[in-house]
Amino acid sequence: MGRLHREGGLKPMDAEQLRECAHKMVDFISDYYKNIENFPVLSQVQPGYLRELLPDSAPTHPESFQDVLNDVQAKILPGVTHWQSPDYFAYFPSNSSVAGFLGEMLSAGINMVGFSWITSPAATELEMIVLDWLAKALKLPDEFLSIGPGGGVIQGTASEAVLVVLLAARDKVLRKVGKDAIGKLVVYSSDQTHSALQKACQIGGIHPENHRVLKTDPSTEYALSPESFCEAISHDIASGLIPFFFCATVGTTSSTAVDPLLALGEITKSNGMWFHVDAAYAGSACICPEFRHYIDGVKEADSFNMNAHKWLLTNFDCSALWVKDRSALIQSLSTNPEFLKNKASQGNMVVDYKDWQIPLGRRFRSLKLWMVLRLYGLENLQAYIRNHIELAKMFEELVKQDPRFEVAAPRKFSLVCLRLLPPQNNEDCANKLNHDLLESVNSTGKIFISHTVLSSKYVLRFAVGAPLTEERHIVAAWKVLQEEASALLRIL
């Protein structure tokens, strides 16, 4: 009998009880990974399924840990979409790893709230150091390192990253032109930019009609053309408006298009605008020398963001944001209430990350990134990225060999965009055909893919990037797609 039962139930905290239960939990999680291929990748439950399986109020008396684990197995896991499955190819990956898990576990164990340096000096200092490490791995300009006026900070997501830099840029320009000019401020992006920018504009008080969403097309592989950007700025200036913020993307969500950073950056610079680069997905690939050229123009950027939790083996959440001028962020987001005052902060001797983000509290997220960088090393991380890109190339070749399909956009990283061609080239039914193919493929439970729309065409997205994915999973996934396509074409 374990200590838990001998001593009359679970204490709020007890080292030996934690040891006993945590061992069981690690075994449970390890078994989950061992058997992950046995689950349908996309959860097949109906909305509201869980309410019928769980009581409508919390228990008055404690239940056993084993009973809870049994419920996880029987009631929770059927309602989980298995992002870590090797057959998961939807959206973009959200990597977990042994190192990332261990870092997350340690962070949960220490459980500090690191809003300022004094609340846990190691948390602040480790974050500064590991983001400098990652910046150097990406060969970012020195202005993004913490030794100068800039530096890095871990945000929860790329959505938070773009929001905080938009607020910093907004306040910086309003200090010059007066806060009443907010109605004249204009934000620019392409029609491939993530919707997080639209949300940031809504929160930041940017007038909806002043968010310019510039069209892209296949001629530029869905990258933003500097000419159309320049034109939009000139038109707005002539209309008495104030262009102040531009978000470029390296690896767009729909098709991993790459905006030409250098040309776009020069335009923002000559117009005194803040230039943000969102490399949430593809930034990880840029640790490989052969892909680094995609961010060559980053020297013109004011801020740069990539998600280590997407494709760099770091468990969610860990979104790395670098800025060249930390004071712009701090001026926008800083508060200094009496109860937080302390000698180190008052003496400007330290970084207080509460002033670089929306919330006050923050977790010890740098631990898992530190563990990932140390336990794998850059060489293995580069090999990991390259392997996924090779697997995506292989999948792309399989698609090209089947005349019923087409590759719908150029592949740059590990995302393949494809579509099933309609019989007799009848484009009227093409979108429905591909929508039906997506539904039938996902309802098999064997794989999970997602979709987008490019130039009014419904396109399937096949994103390789789960840590457990091997060549056999790619071959099996293609077989599912082919089989479901054959079944659909037979009934047309």
Side-chain angles (χ1 to χ4, degrees):
M1 188 186 285
R3 189 182 178 101
L4 186 55
H5 300 289
R6 284 199 308 271
E7 299 189 359
L10 198 61
K11 295 175 181 174
M13 178 48 77
D14 176 271
E16 293 311 316
Q17 287 186 339
L18 176 65
R19 191 186 311 279
E20 184 184 331
C21 293
H23 274 293
K24 282 184 185 166
M25 184 59 92
V26 168
D27 284 343
F28 183 90
I29 293 166
S30 302
D31 288 343
Y32 166 71
Y33 276 101
K34 203 171 188 175
N35 300 310
I36 199 165
E37 289 185 61
N38 300 336
F39 295 99
V41 188
L42 176 65
S43 172
Q44 305 292 311
V45 301
Q46 294 302 310
Y49 91 101
L50 195 56
R51 197 167 284 281
E52 294 169 21
L53 301 178
L54 295 182
D56 62 3
S57 55
T60 305
H61 302 292
E63 298 180 17
S64 80
F65 182 47
Q66 192 55 51
D67 284 350
V68 176
L69 283 183
N70 292 343
D71 275 353
V72 172
Q73 192 72 51
K75 299 170 184 176
I76 302 299
L77 288 183
V80 167
T81 288
H82 301 277
W83 285 66
Q84 303 312 316
S85 167
D87 301 307
Y88 181 98
F89 303 105
Y91 310 116
F92 279 135
S94 181
N95 282 183
S96 91
S97 65
V98 177
F101 175 81
L102 295 173
E104 193 68 83
M105 199 176 180
L106 184 55
S107 174
I110 294 171
N111 199 34
M112 43 64 66
V113 185
F115 45 82
S116 52
W117 178 87
I118 197 173
T119 60
S120 269
T124 295
E125 296 194 13
L126 185 63
E127 189 159 330
M128 294 169 75
I129 290 164
V130 292
L131 287 177
D132 281 354
W133 283 7
L134 189 51
K136 287 172 183 174
L138 290 162
K139 296 187 167 49
L140 295 184
D142 286 350
E143 297 99 304
F144 286 119
L145 300 178
S146 63
I147 47 173
V153 56
I154 297 175
Q155 303 284 342
T157 64
S159 305
E160 289 168 52
V162 75
L163 172 59
V164 296
V165 295
L166 181 119
L167 296 177
R170 178 200 69 183
D171 292 350
K172 190 176 179 181
V173 73
L174 290 179
R175 281 193 293 275
K176 285 182 195 160
V177 298
K179 57 179 183 289
D180 293 342
I182 192 164
K184 292 182 175 183
L185 300 187
V186 189
V187 169
Y188 302 81
S189 67
S190 88
D191 57 2
Q192 301 300 306
T193 305
H194 196 281
S195 57
L197 179 61
Q198 183 192 336
K199 186 182 274 194
C201 289
Q202 287 167 212
I203 296 169
I206 304 304
H207 291 204
E209 66 273 17
N210 287 348
H211 178 193
R212 302 280 172 266
V213 179
L214 306 173
K215 277 189 82 66
T216 60
D217 60 49
S219 71
T220 59
E221 300 182 353
Y222 298 102
L224 180 60
S225 103
E227 292 73 30
S228 68
F229 181 41
C230 224
E231 226 170 86
I233 290 175
S234 301
H235 181 268
D236 286 331
I237 291 172
S239 307
L241 297 172
I242 305 169
F244 88 104
F245 187 89
F246 169 59
C247 178
T249 310
V250 175
T252 58
T253 305
S254 281
S255 66
T256 64
V258 176
D259 289 331
L261 302 188
L262 197 56
L264 295 167
E266 284 167 358
I267 297 165
T268 58
K269 203 175 193 176
S270 63
N271 286 283
M273 298 165 64
W274 186 291
F275 178 26
H276 177 65
V277 176
D278 173 356
Y281 158 73
S284 296
C286 298
I287 66 167
C288 301
E290 66 269 33
F291 300 115
R292 172 59 180 75
H293 66 94
Y294 286 118
I295 58 167
D296 273 356
V298 72
K299 64 182 182 192
E300 303 292 349
D302 296 282
S303 49
F304 178 84
N305 172 230
M306 59 81 74
N307 287 350
H309 63 238
K310 274 194 168 69
W311 199 15
L312 203 67
L313 289 175
T314 309
N315 293 37
F316 186 82
D317 55 334
C318 186
S319 182
L321 169 68
W322 290 271
V323 291
K324 279 184 178 168
D325 174 17
R326 71 177 79 161
S327 68
L329 267 191
I330 293 166
Q331 282 182 270
S332 205
L333 300 170
S334 173
T335 55
N336 191 26
E338 188 59 41
F339 62 86
L340 294 181
K341 288 180 180 173
N342 64 83
K343 189 178 165 188
S345 297
Q346 301 306 106
N348 278 331
M349 297 184 283
V350 294
V351 161
D352 287 334
Y353 275 129
K354 70 180 178 63
D355 300 330
W356 297 48
Q357 61 173 28
I358 301 298
L360 174 66
R362 58 203 325 272
R363 300 186 307 120
F364 201 165
R365 289 178 289 213
S366 54
L367 271 178
K368 57 190 169 186
L369 184 54
W370 186 52
M371 287 210 176
V372 165
L373 292 172
R374 288 189 67 187
L375 294 177
Y376 296 120
L378 290 174
E379 197 173 64
N380 283 331
L381 290 169
Q382 288 167 342
Y384 173 75
I385 297 281
R386 288 177 181 130
N387 176 53
H388 282 149
I389 290 172
E390 285 307 310
L391 291 176
K393 274 185 194 169
M394 183 190 122
F395 180 80
E396 183 183 36
E397 285 309 310
L398 293 171
V399 174
K400 286 177 177 174
Q401 285 162 25
D402 188 331
R404 301 174 303 168
F405 286 85
E406 71 171 2
V407 174
R411 183 203 53 74
K412 286 190 169 62
F413 303 100
S414 68
L415 172 73
V416 179
C417 292
L418 66 149
R419 70 197 269 272
L420 180 59
L421 295 167
Q424 286 86 48
N425 288 328
N426 177 7
E427 281 296 337
D428 292 341
C429 74
N431 285 354
K432 184 182 186 307
L433 179 65
N434 281 279
H435 177 269
D436 291 348
L437 178 57
L438 180 90
E439 293 293 315
S440 60
V441 161
N442 287 342
S443 64
T444 66
K446 293 175 185 172
I447 65 171
F448 179 33
I449 59 174
S450 55
H451 81 281
T452 190
V453 173
L454 289 169
S455 303
S456 305
K457 293 176 179 176
Y458 191 99
V459 168
L460 309 184
R461 295 170 73 263
F462 189 91
V464 181
L468 291 168
T469 301
E470 297 172 6
E471 189 174 313
R472 65 187 172 91
H473 301 107
I474 304 295
V475 172
W478 177 235
K479 192 167 173 236
V480 172
L481 273 155
Q482 285 187 306
E483 285 170 359
E484 296 301 319
S486 297
L488 275 175
L489 292 170
R490 271 198 301 272
I491 56 172
L492 279 179

